[in-house]
Amino acid sequence: MPWCPLPAGHSYIIYGPLANGATTLMFESTPLYPNPSRYWDLVEKHKVTQFYTAPTAIRALMRYGDAPVKKHDLSSLRILGSVGEPINPEVRGGHHHDAWCWSPSISS
């Protein structure tokens, strides 16, 4: 199940997947409410396979460390994608460059 928790994510997450008969999850809120585990709660609960978000959201979550992420089973995730801007090394962390997907509008 693809997921793009961004206001501009409609093209990524709604039109394309639904046109191809896929299930999709849409989320419009802050990743920090009611707690910094919100994204990961939803990934685990809905078995999200493709997660696209902006590095800005990831940077906001980084201040809470790894604990909110590590307490969840994220084994369903196959693709982590960045949209809206290039990923800086601090956000990418230890992930290999080819583990991320970039929007064509920001790739170089």
Side-chain angles (χ1 to χ4, degrees):
M1 172 189 310
W3 180 28
C4 185
L6 297 170
H10 295 91
S11 296
Y12 288 101
I13 201 60
I14 300 298
Y15 309 125
L18 291 180
N20 288 290
T23 301
T24 186
L25 175 65
M26 185 157 177
F27 173 82
E28 292 189 350
S29 185
T30 171
L32 303 175
Y33 181 82
N35 60 61
S37 289
R38 185 64 175 150
Y39 276 0
W40 318 121
D41 291 337
L42 293 170
V43 167
E44 181 176 34
K45 178 180 179 179
H46 297 287
K47 306 275 188 259
V48 171
T49 58
Q50 299 172 32
F51 179 81
Y52 297 90
T53 194
T56 303
I58 301 301
R59 281 193 296 272
L61 294 167
M62 286 175 65
R63 75 180 95 163
Y64 298 95
D66 292 343
V69 179
K70 289 187 174 187
K71 68 181 186 176
H72 295 282
D73 176 9
L74 305 179
S75 62
S76 64
L77 280 175
R78 294 182 295 120
I79 296 174
L80 303 174
S82 171
V83 295
E85 67 186 71
I87 297 177
N88 58 312
E90 295 78 21
V91 171
R92 190 173 65 226
H95 298 285
H96 296 288
H97 182 75
D98 60 357
W100 292 89
C101 298
W102 277 268
S103 164
S105 64
I106 60 168
S107 61
S108 54

